[in-house]
Amino acid sequence: MMGEQGFAAQERTAVLERMGREHFDILIIGGGITGAGIALDAADRGLKTALVEMQDFAAGTSSRSTKLVHGGLRYLKQFEVKMVAEVGKERAIVFENGPHVTIPERMLLPFHQGGTFNAFTTSIGLLVYDFLAGVKRSERRRMLDIQATLEREPLLKREGLKGSGSYVEYRTDDARLTIEVMKEAVTRGALAVNYAKADKLLYDSGRISGASVTDRITGKPYEIRASLVINAAGPWVDTLREMDRSKEGKVLRLTKGIHLVFDAERFPLQQAVYFDTPDGRMVFAIPRDGKTYAGTTDTVYEGDTAHPRMTAEDRAYVLQAINGMFPDVKLTVADVESSWAGVRPLIYEDGKSPSEISRKDEIWESRSGLITIAGGKLTGYRKMSELVVDRAVRELGRLRGQSFRACRTRHIPISGGNVGGSAGWDAFVSKQAIAGAALGLSPETARAWAVRYGSNVERLFAIATRSMKNATETEAALPIEVRVPLLYAMEQEMTVTPSDFFIRRTGALFFQIDEVKRWKQAVIALMSEYAGWSAEQERQYTTELDAYLYEAVTPVEVEAEPGAVKAI
């Protein structure tokens, strides 16, 4: 069960009221994967923890990635040996603690005549990768000849093909990973709330002591006081540093990446492929749930941080890359079902060239005591969080003489992760499919819920049982496979808007966009009934969802972005 304070959408106000009354050891600003990881580690160590996020949880970078918990193979090309070793080892930890949101997937790395890779460099690179990342024996690299490569993926360009390397990456749902980490933090005592914007930092005698926060749903302000404030705002890190008057030296440089989604009938990829392009960049093409998605671009970005958009140039670049590596598919603009764009907050230092922008994470502490975590990767969130909380407990020890336990998150399953680890995963899913069928659900629906929600599937079964017996007219307008996840999302995942549900709780806007269009009005009606929205709120949230649906398929033609498809 959740901690003393729950995680339902209807409890947001109660959570904020409590935050305004009490004093915390740490206040975290930012509800992406880094903030969620810090909240989990801090709460588990016994720190009184509060977290605020100005949008929905994971609404920034943490729902807009390539959706891989990967070992950073690309960084071997840049000789980032330490980073490969660190994130490779963290990848295994993320998988064991949350098998329901992390799926091992064989990746093919083809090499062609004149390309970036050849048999020797691929073999050596993957061998070093296996060693640095501590890859287990069953997942280590395999070298394949031309015939074996084409058997794995017949769509590959045959002209100039010399063979391939095969290695394992871990596919994830980045937003759900973030939500599950946040839920586990709440279970262990953290308070967390979305749509709460830190408008102003508070100080006592020159030392930061909290933040003035506005509930963006009600407009009500709150003052939240804490001994330490941690800036985990991702792309908005420098905005908080400006508030703190400590933005100096190293700063963020945002880069943008986009991904395109196609129906598997038009792009019937058999397995994931990681390939190089004529300009030397690397692109992923990954099958998922009857779709295939591909990306990413890597461009300097100076537009709206909250709403990065795909440009026509971005789309053309990815289409060209796909058609170059898979010439028989002949994809066009009309084949793009959906897309997403995201920004990466990378660390930039004055005087360095764009090619020197770092993918590493760094921790800074200002003169006022504001602790900032910047940069980093999805895969490394747990280790980043550990380093931040280590610093926080040292500071609390200095300020108050208080001590806390050491980090234990290496061995803490995230919410939904109590399935017996990766070894017990398949048996768990099979068991839940049978259990769901016994309740009257189809085995396919029960299995799908078990795969998405892990050990929390029992909560969905309970909601399903309740809803099948006592469904309101508005609930009954939705099929049970939509209705129950929606009720669960509102009751136990602090889902406030239809966009929260369709984008970050289910990913449906990216991978089932026709289903979103089909059920959006019924979902909005049920959410409105459940939350008691005003007519204005219903119009606002409908307009927001319609805008996301439009943006998923419609590029902007002009964007304030230097070097629209220029690699950095």
Side-chain angles (χ1 to χ4, degrees), residues 113-329:
Q113 183 70 38
T116 303
F117 300 97
N118 57 42
F120 177 75
T121 57
T122 301
S123 180
I124 294 299
L126 291 177
L127 185 66
V128 172
Y129 177 74
D130 284 347
F131 173 74
L132 291 174
V135 176
K136 54 188 173 185
R137 185 178 298 275
S138 63
E139 297 182 357
R140 291 177 188 168
R141 69 100 163 87
R142 303 169 189 166
M143 297 305 297
L144 306 176
D145 61 17
I146 296 173
Q147 181 179 348
T149 298
L150 290 172
E151 287 174 356
R152 295 286 183 92
E153 187 43 70
L155 291 177
L156 280 169
K157 181 175 69 174
R158 295 171 181 249
E159 181 183 355
L161 181 65
K162 296 296 184 180
S164 67
S166 173
Y167 70 105
V168 170
E169 291 283 27
Y170 288 66
R171 180 159 57 85
T172 191
D173 184 325
D174 49 4
R176 285 218 58 82
L177 173 62
T178 303
I179 295 296
E180 300 290 32
V181 174
M182 194 75 75
K183 284 157 61 181
E184 188 62 31
V186 171
T187 298
R188 292 173 184 269
L191 298 185
V193 68
N194 52 5
Y195 296 102
K197 184 180 180 181
D199 298 306
K200 180 183 177 183
L201 299 177
L202 304 175
Y203 299 86
D204 288 332
S205 302
R207 181 172 180 83
I208 193 164
S209 60
S212 177
V213 172
T214 299
D215 183 349
R216 297 181 65 196
I217 305 302
T218 67
K220 185 174 179 179
Y222 299 86
E223 286 195 353
I224 305 173
R225 297 284 180 173
S227 298
L228 295 176
V229 178
I230 296 175
N231 174 9
W236 293 271
V237 153
D238 279 351
T239 301
L240 286 176
R241 293 173 75 204
E242 287 173 354
M243 286 187 196
D244 186 54
R245 299 183 180 179
S246 59
K247 183 183 171 183
E248 55 190 22
K250 294 180 180 180
V251 297
L252 291 190
R253 176 63 58 88
L254 303 183
T255 69
K256 188 185 73 175
I258 73 113
H259 296 78
L260 306 181
V261 181
F262 308 88
D263 191 85
E265 290 189 4
R266 277 297 291 121
F267 192 0
L269 200 67
Q270 290 188 9
Q271 73 141 81
V273 181
Y274 186 37
F275 61 96
D276 57 341
T277 62
D279 63 1
R281 279 188 282 178
M282 301 298 297
V283 172
F284 288 98
I286 302 171
R288 170 176 165 164
D289 301 333
K291 309 294 178 183
T292 298
Y293 70 96
T296 178
T297 55
D298 199 1
T299 61
V300 175
Y301 183 72
E302 295 178 354
D304 181 354
T305 306
H307 298 287
R309 293 283 304 279
M310 169 184 68
T311 66
E313 290 83 2
D314 294 330
R315 183 177 62 185
Y317 178 86
V318 175
L319 284 170
Q320 183 179 22
I322 295 168
N323 288 327
M325 184 53 65
F326 309 97
D328 291 340
V329 297

Side-chain angles (χ1 to χ4, degrees), residues 40-92:
L40 171 55
D41 192 353
D44 180 68
R45 296 202 212 187
L47 278 72
K48 191 172 181 180
T49 303
L51 180 147
V52 294
E53 162 59 45
M54 71 173 182
Q55 302 182 99
D56 184 29
F57 303 116
T61 304
S62 297
S63 61
R64 302 167 183 262
S65 72
T66 305
K67 305 187 186 303
L68 291 174
V69 175
H70 61 89
L73 178 64
R74 62 177 287 192
Y75 302 118
L76 278 182
K77 291 175 66 177
Q78 302 167 0
F79 302 102
E80 295 272 14
V81 174
K82 185 178 179 182
M83 179 180 289
V84 174
E86 287 180 352
V87 299
K89 291 179 174 63
E90 283 299 309
R91 181 183 67 169

